[in-house]
Amino acid sequence: MTEGMERGGGIALWRQIAEQIRTEIATGVYAVGDRLPPEADLAARFGVNRHTLRRAMAALAEADVVRIDQGRGTFVQAGRLSYPIRRRTRFSEIVSAQAREPSGRLIGHRLEVADEAVATRLKVAAGTPVHRVESLSVADGVPISLAEHWIPAERFPRLVEVYAETGSFTKVLEAHGVTDYTRRSTRVTARVADALEGQRLGLPPGSAVLVTENIDVDTAGTPVQTSRTLFAGERVELVVEQGDDPA
Amino acid sequence: MTEGMERGGGIALWRQIAEQIRTEIATGVYAVGDRLPPEADLAARFGVNRHTLRRAMAALAEADVVRIDQGRGTFVQAGRLSYPIRRRTRFSEIVSAQAREPSGRLIGHRLEVADEAVATRLKVAAGTPVHRVESLSVADGVPISLAEHWIPAERFPRLVEVYAETGSFTKVLEAHGVTDYTRRSTRVTARVADALEGQRLGLPPGSAVLVTENIDVDTAGTPVQTSRTLFAGERVELVVEQGDDPA
DNA sequence: TCAATTGGTCTATACATCTATACCACTGGA
DNA sequence: TCCAGTGGTATAGATGTATAGACCAATTGA
């Protein structure tokens, strides 16, 4: 075989090939919209039968990484980002799994006191100091979501500096001893973005956004953050997977 | 299935199970020397047939992660030998400190004249007679390293007989009045072992070895030996401790 | 010595993976 | 309109993976 595919090692060739192509897309060997080489060429390159290569392509198409057009070719897809709603939800993992490059940006931060709604969600007394953070999540340079987070200030004093360094909420929580967290609940609605929101998400006026409200809890069940997130409707689809504990 | 094994996903169950158990050993769920649960129990835990579980175990045994004893059980095998690179380096001390049984074996000896490279390292004139000794170091019966040593012949005439008696280079040097020696320098590279080297180290073809070149000096700073040592990559990790005089 | 426990081997079956070959369907351009 | 290039489908066989059940062999302790 032309490339370093491992046979009989317990990992199917089609999966190894799919991983390889995913990586090449993620690292820019093939850009969004590019046509991949014909199946026959790719099969020759990996030293496998065309059926095996097609199995790999089918997996990539299933994950919306590529789009297959009979007679035309196979193209790198830039379709809507599929955003699964699960108990374990990590923006960076979700984006990476779809062969795109995640990043995060802090837009604003203010220390305020929790109003009734936020306090209830965080299970603290109204008036408790909380961080209010606005952040923008980006995939391949395209804004995906705009979020407002509320986080108990006493428990996470170093929020701003860690987020600024890493661009990751997971890292912020880790830095304060929260090794794992899960989503307790998610509510989804939709509306039209206002001017400021549209501008931040890079959307034309009048664009629809998905609005989610959710609560993350640590392993002990204590809320660690609640947030309201706006997703650009034309770039994202939220996927609720049944069979997972809905909580 | 009792655990989160993925079926039909292109990764064989036996491989997923092997990975899982490997992780549990690495994270201390099972310690070195522990007996793993019986195959029937593990098969039940992972929700697979015992044959499948055994395939996973065979892979772990092949990689020396576990040792399988019929009638007794399956035991966590000793991890990689940690080989610190320090000024004072004594194979027997290092191995003993890790509760393993050291031994050494002389493979070959020849009296030859120093070529340019060896002469430079030993600070003698090119053409000076030197012992060239090949030795194998073993811990708990498992080959760890294969070394070529070059030693000035005039200063250490009784090298072969003393080494054959004691299996220790330290003793050889002592017998010639060198009460102490230290390492002056160590260079480390890596490559694939050739057939003979692999056979002597008991490694499968294509295995990686660490290659170190070093010089030992006596208390006066005079080189007493230089050597090139091959370590079995899968059985040893070299540890460079910072803060020590690197020389 | 015996019985329980543990790993080792064998046979048979089902399904997944991979190969080989052939032919069909769609697209775009000559 | 035709044809070269592309993906889509079908069939058959070889090999890898997983299951099921039965029985053998070594170890250990009663």
Side-chain angles (χ1 to χ4, degrees):
Chain A
M1 55 219 104
T2 310
E3 302 233 351
M5 298 292 117
E6 180 202 30
R7 284 160 191 265
I11 300 182
L13 287 176
W14 65 262
R15 199 181 220 282
Q16 299 180 52
I17 292 167
E19 285 303 317
Q20 177 64 31
I21 292 177
R22 248 190 151 95
T23 301
E24 291 178 3
I25 289 172
T27 56
V29 176
Y30 303 111
V32 171
D34 278 5
R35 192 181 75 179
L36 297 180
E39 293 178 347
D41 290 11
L42 284 174
R45 170 187 156 192
F46 288 109
V48 300
N49 191 274
R50 188 162 74 96
H51 289 297
T52 306
L53 183 104
R54 279 172 58 71
R55 176 79 194 263
M57 285 309 184
L60 293 174
E62 171 67 22
D64 272 327
V65 175
V66 300
R67 175 175 38 81
I68 305 177
D69 282 6
Q70 182 171 358
R72 303 205 326 121
T74 301
F75 300 84
V76 177
Q77 182 69 292
R80 288 187 175 180
L81 187 72
S82 286
Y83 201 99
I85 308 259
R86 287 190 291 240
R87 288 180 63 81
R88 285 186 55 82
T89 295
R90 305 288 185 272
F91 179 78
S92 55
E93 292 177 8
I94 290 166
V95 174
S96 300
Q98 295 177 49
R100 299 170 83 169
E101 185 63 30
S103 62
R105 194 158 66 78
L106 193 67
I107 291 182
H109 167 261
R110 196 167 70 218
L111 198 61
E112 59 181 31
V113 295
D115 63 21
E116 192 63 35
V118 167
T120 303
R121 286 192 257 159
L122 288 178
K123 285 194 185 166
V124 297
T128 302
V130 291
H131 295 293
R132 178 175 173 283
V133 177
E134 283 185 274
S135 67
L136 187 70
S137 294
V138 177
D140 280 348
V142 179
I144 296 297
S145 65
L146 178 67
E148 282 180 298
H149 307 265
W150 290 271
I151 296 147
E154 288 136 321
R155 187 163 175 199
F156 303 100
R158 300 193 299 121
L159 180 145
V160 178
E161 53 187 285
V162 179
Y163 188 89
E165 275 177 28
T166 63
S168 157
F169 262 99
T170 305
K171 301 265 193 230
V172 168
L173 300 184
E174 264 179 23
H176 292 84
V178 178
T179 54
D180 198 10
Y181 64 96
T182 56
R183 183 132 302 179
R184 161 170 288 170
S185 70
T186 303
R187 296 158 187 273
V188 185
T189 61
R191 62 175 172 80
V192 170
D194 68 26
L196 180 59
E197 292 163 350
Q199 183 231 308
R200 286 176 166 170
L201 282 169
L203 293 172
S207 296
V209 290
L210 291 156
V211 184
T212 69
E213 279 188 3
N214 43 54
I215 302 173
D216 287 340
V217 298
D218 63 17
T219 47
T222 308
V224 293
Q225 73 117 7
T226 182
S227 56
R228 201 191 56 186
T229 306
L230 272 58
F231 290 92
E234 63 184 40
R235 299 181 194 139
V236 183
E237 59 175 1
L238 302 180
V239 179
V240 179
E241 288 163 338
Q242 309 301 339
D244 208 358
D245 181 354
Chain B
M1 54 218 105
T2 311
E3 302 232 352
M5 298 292 118
E6 180 200 29
R7 284 159 191 263
I11 300 182
L13 288 176
W14 65 262
R15 200 178 217 282
Q16 299 179 53
I17 291 167
E19 284 304 317
Q20 177 64 31
I21 292 177
R22 223 189 241 280
T23 301
E24 291 178 3
I25 289 172
T27 57
V29 176
Y30 302 111
V32 171
D34 278 5
R35 194 181 74 181
L36 297 181
E39 293 177 348
D41 291 10
L42 283 174
R45 169 187 155 192
F46 289 109
V48 301
N49 191 276
R50 186 163 75 99
H51 290 297
T52 306
L53 190 277
R54 277 172 59 72
R55 176 80 190 264
M57 285 309 187
L60 293 174
E62 171 67 21
D64 272 326
V65 176
V66 301
R67 177 175 37 81
I68 305 177
D69 283 5
Q70 181 171 358
R72 304 210 322 125
T74 302
F75 300 85
V76 176
Q77 187 68 290
R80 287 189 176 180
L81 186 72
S82 286
Y83 202 98
I85 300 200
R86 289 190 290 242
R87 289 179 65 80
R88 285 187 54 82
T89 296
R90 304 289 184 271
F91 178 78
S92 55
E93 292 175 9
I94 289 167
V95 174
S96 301
Q98 294 178 52
R100 299 171 79 168
E101 186 63 31
S103 63
R105 194 158 65 79
L106 192 68
I107 291 182
H109 167 262
R110 196 167 70 219
L111 197 62
E112 63 182 25
V113 295
D115 63 17
E116 194 63 42
V118 167
T120 303
R121 287 191 256 159
L122 288 177
K123 285 192 184 167
V124 298
T128 302
V130 291
H131 295 291
R132 179 174 173 284
V133 178
E134 282 184 279
S135 67
L136 187 71
S137 295
V138 176
D140 280 350
V142 179
I144 297 298
S145 66
L146 178 68
E148 282 178 290
H149 307 266
W150 290 270
I151 297 147
E154 291 138 304
R155 188 165 174 198
F156 303 98
R158 299 193 299 123
L159 180 144
V160 178
E161 52 188 287
V162 179
Y163 188 88
E165 277 174 27
T166 63
S168 157
F169 262 99
T170 306
K171 302 269 192 218
V172 168
L173 300 183
E174 266 178 20
H176 293 84
V178 178
T179 54
D180 194 17
Y181 64 94
T182 58
R183 182 132 303 178
R184 161 170 286 170
S185 71
T186 302
R187 296 158 187 273
V188 183
T189 61
R191 62 173 172 82
V192 170
D194 68 26
L196 179 58
E197 293 163 351
Q199 182 230 309
R200 285 177 166 170
L201 283 168
L203 292 172
S207 296
V209 289
L210 291 157
V211 184
T212 68
E213 282 189 2
N214 43 53
I215 303 173
D216 286 342
V217 298
D218 63 18
T219 48
T222 307
V224 293
Q225 71 116 11
T226 182
S227 55
R228 200 191 57 184
T229 306
L230 272 57
F231 290 91
E234 64 187 43
R235 299 179 194 140
V236 183
E237 58 177 1
L238 301 180
V239 179
V240 178
E241 289 163 337
Q242 309 301 338
D244 206 358
D245 180 352

